[in-house]
């Protein structure tokens, strides 16, 4: 748009006109990938933005503070191999099953909730295989984890993947709670483990820092209540909140095809409350929600923010880390998926074209 005219195709109306660029950024949520070259015409960008607005689905603008209600924390367990992550998650999961009135067979669905026996507060644990899923989600810009529980075996202390986990948590700006594990073993050296953590920049509370540590035995199931309590205290400090109303937004934690129920995914809802019959889009997959289950395989009627839910009704399989967005109608969902497919194809063709061009230039 050139000031004083309505002529998007005016010779001056290319993206290297800085004032124009500024105006577009402010007005229509323009992104850098809209510029193909300095000669990109403003009209092209505007056309693309209009198309995107009409055909794709996007997250809603952030909620007002008055629309927010408290939600439970979402926790990822990390640490060196064999330090006890799986044992800890199993122990926590089983504690929560025993408490259920209809304690059934627990399924591995990628996430589960734990409740303290004397409270209504819950903690959601992500139970995805290790760092791979965490980085997949991070690379897609999905921020699901509020707190990292760093498992360190007291017999070994800090190891290579302990350091890596600390790096991950710091990069994602997620606070750490240390679970010093295998405290039942005679070889356990807790002071040494703490010293090692301190050397890695973990400011433990007893040394004047802010990081809490809890001594546990995942195997003997000791210290687990204290660990969950510590997580809840940390969560309280963070004042985690979410908007439970309106169109749903969430993240895919895990997806698979079940022989009996078809394509399904475990999701963490981040906004709105998911109900049966909703239309969802995640990446290039879409669903009409046929039903939802908790980790005990029980049918749930709704999934509010923070609570993990297994969702059935996907027409294609979404991927871990995909953003889930609700659409008002099936038509809208289908349209969005088709638009995304087209965009991906276009991008792929552009990349191919550049590669061909480069090859030709090399040849010359
Ligand atoms: P991961 O690789 O971090 O998932 O570690 P695992 O949970 O698979 O545990 C590795 C080994 O350590 C297994 O043989 C566990 O039984 C054992 N282990 C885990 N937690 C404890 C614990 O608290 N005490 C003892 N003695 N052994 C443990
Ligand atoms: Mg494991």
């Amino acid at each position: 748009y050139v000031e004083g005219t309505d002529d998007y195709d005016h010779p001056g109306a290319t993206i290297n006109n800085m004032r124009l660029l500024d105006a577009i950024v402010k007005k229509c949520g323009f992104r850098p990938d809209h510029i193909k070259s300095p000669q990109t015409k403003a009209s092209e960008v505007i056309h693309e933005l209009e198309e995107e607005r009409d055909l794709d689905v996007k997250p809603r603008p952030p909620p007002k503070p008055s629309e927010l209600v408290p939600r439970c924390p979402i926790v990822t367990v990390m640490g060196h191999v064999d330090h006890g992550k799986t044992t800890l998650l199993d122990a926590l999961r089983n504690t929560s099953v025993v408490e259920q009135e209809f304690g059934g067979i627990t399924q591995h669905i990628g996430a589960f909730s734990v409740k303290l026996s004397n409270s209504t507060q819950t903690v959601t644990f992500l139970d995805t295989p290790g760092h791979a899923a965490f980085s997949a989600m991070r690379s897609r810009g999905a921020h699901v984890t509020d707190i990292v529980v760093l498992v360190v075996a007291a017999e070994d202390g800090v190891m290579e993947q302990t350091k890596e986990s600390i790096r991950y948590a710091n990069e994602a700006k997620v606070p750490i709670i240390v679970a010093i594990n295998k405290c039942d073993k005679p070889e356990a050296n807790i002071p040494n483990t703490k010293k090692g953590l301190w050397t890695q920049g973990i400011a433990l509370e007893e040394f004047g820092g802010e990081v809490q540590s809890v001594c546990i035995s995942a195997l003997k199931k000791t210290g687990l209540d204290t660990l969950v309590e510590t997580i809840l205290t940390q969560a309280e400090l963070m004042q985690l909140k979410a908007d439970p109303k309106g169109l749903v937004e969430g993240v895919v934690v895990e997806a698979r095809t079940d022989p009996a129920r078809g394509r399904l995914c475990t999701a963490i809802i981040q906004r709105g409350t998911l109900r049966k019959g909703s239309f969802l889009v995640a990446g290039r997959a879409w669903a009409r929600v046929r039903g939802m289950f908790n980790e005990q395989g029980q049918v749930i009627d709704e999934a509010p923010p923070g609570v993990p839910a297994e969702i059935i009704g996907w027409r294609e399989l979404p991927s871990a880390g995909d953003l889930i967005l609700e659409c008002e109608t099936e038509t809208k969902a289908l349209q969005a998926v088709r638009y995304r497919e087209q965009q991906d194809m276009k991008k792929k063709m552009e990349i191919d074209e550049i590669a061909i061009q480069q090859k030709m230039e090399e040849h010359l």
Side-chain angles (χ1 to χ4, degrees):
Y1 173 76
V2 178
E3 252 174 321
T5 77
D6 281 331
D7 183 6
Y8 295 145
D9 284 323
H10 185 279
T14 54
I15 291 300
N16 62 356
N17 177 334
M18 285 316 285
R19 214 173 37 204
L20 169 74
L21 188 71
D22 252 14
I24 296 180
V25 169
K26 281 202 194 94
K27 276 217 162 132
C28 20
F30 155 95
R31 290 189 313 270
D33 63 280
H34 286 123
I35 317 178
K36 307 281 179 318
S37 81
Q39 276 71 46
T40 299
K41 285 224 169 93
S43 58
E44 289 168 24
V45 175
I46 286 162
H47 175 75
E48 212 169 292
L49 281 167
E50 280 170 354
E51 210 178 63
E52 193 173 297
R53 189 195 54 207
D54 295 341
L55 300 180
D56 203 1
V57 274
K58 295 269 164 219
R60 291 178 284 148
K64 294 191 198 84
S66 62
E67 293 165 337
L68 298 175
V69 298
R71 66 164 173 87
C72 69
I74 298 156
V75 176
T76 300
V77 173
M78 299 180 95
H80 194 70
V81 64
D82 281 346
H83 277 199
K85 298 178 293 294
T86 304
T87 312
L88 173 61
L89 284 164
D90 283 349
L92 288 164
R93 199 195 285 109
N94 291 335
T95 340
S96 69
V97 175
V98 172
E99 275 173 20
Q100 299 281 332
E101 211 174 322
F102 308 100
I105 305 154
T106 313
Q107 305 192 6
H108 177 98
I109 69 162
F112 62 93
S113 299
V114 172
K115 198 158 53 176
L116 270 185
S117 40
N118 52 357
S119 127
T120 53
Q121 288 172 296
T122 59
V123 177
T124 293
F125 285 91
L126 290 186
D127 184 8
T128 47
H131 302 196
F134 192 73
S135 29
M137 282 192 222
R138 280 213 314 123
S139 69
R140 282 156 204 258
H143 300 288
V144 250
T145 304
D146 301 308
I147 296 167
V148 162
V149 166
L150 180 65
V151 177
V152 192
E155 47 177 0
D156 293 344
V158 170
M159 303 287 279
E160 205 40 51
Q161 284 157 286
T162 317
K163 295 180 198 168
E164 203 178 288
S165 307
I166 295 171
R167 213 165 43 235
Y168 268 120
N170 287 345
E171 275 168 22
K173 297 193 174 63
V174 176
I176 291 174
I177 291 172
V178 177
I180 300 178
N181 192 30
K182 307 199 185 183
C183 290
D184 59 292
K185 283 195 156 183
E187 307 92 296
N189 190 341
I190 298 166
N192 191 46
T193 304
K194 287 184 175 170
K195 247 182 258 155
L197 287 162
W198 177 258
T199 324
Q200 291 304 314
I202 300 290
L204 292 174
E205 207 179 32
E206 52 257 68
F207 303 143
E210 279 151 19
V211 178
Q212 306 271 341
S213 69
V214 185
C215 293
I216 63 162
S217 165
L219 193 71
K220 300 271 194 298
K221 298 186 172 44
T222 56
L224 301 189
D225 269 1
T226 316
L227 178 62
V228 175
E229 262 166 48
T230 309
I231 293 168
L232 286 169
T233 311
Q234 172 69 39
E236 229 170 84
L237 281 175
M238 295 166 82
Q239 297 205 316
L240 302 168
K241 286 182 177 168
D243 168 17
K245 299 221 171 77
L247 291 175
V248 163
E249 292 169 24
V251 173
V252 175
V253 173
E254 224 178 67
R256 66 192 165 92
T257 306
D258 181 277
R261 295 176 295 166
R263 296 179 193 89
L264 50 84
C265 84
T266 301
I268 302 272
I269 304 305
Q270 295 178 307
R271 193 172 181 188
T273 301
L274 184 63
R275 297 188 178 85
K276 211 166 128 173
S278 306
F279 299 103
L280 302 179
V281 166
R284 294 187 309 182
W286 75 280
R288 180 177 182 277
V289 179
R290 277 197 287 127
M292 290 177 297
F293 305 88
N294 64 12
E295 66 268 17
Q296 271 95 48
Q298 296 158 337
V299 173
I300 51 174
D301 295 326
E302 48 182 46
V307 175
E310 208 177 24
I311 304 168
I312 56 169
W314 291 94
R315 308 300 160 107
E316 304 87 23
L317 210 55
S319 309
D322 275 346
L323 191 64
I324 295 178
L325 294 169
E326 186 182 357
C327 301
E328 271 130 352
T329 60
E330 180 172 339
T331 317
K332 183 79 201 159
L334 268 168
Q335 199 179 44
V337 167
R338 242 180 251 136
Y339 175 76
R340 290 173 178 195
E341 275 167 3
Q342 274 169 13
Q343 289 307 101
D344 284 358
M345 216 129 82
K346 237 161 89 181
K347 249 180 229 150
K348 199 182 160 292
M349 266 158 59
E350 272 161 27
I351 291 168
D352 287 350
E353 218 166 279
I354 291 169
I356 290 170
Q357 213 143 37
Q358 273 173 351
K359 270 241 172 78
M360 275 165 59
E361 272 163 26
E362 271 167 33
H363 214 68
L364 290 174

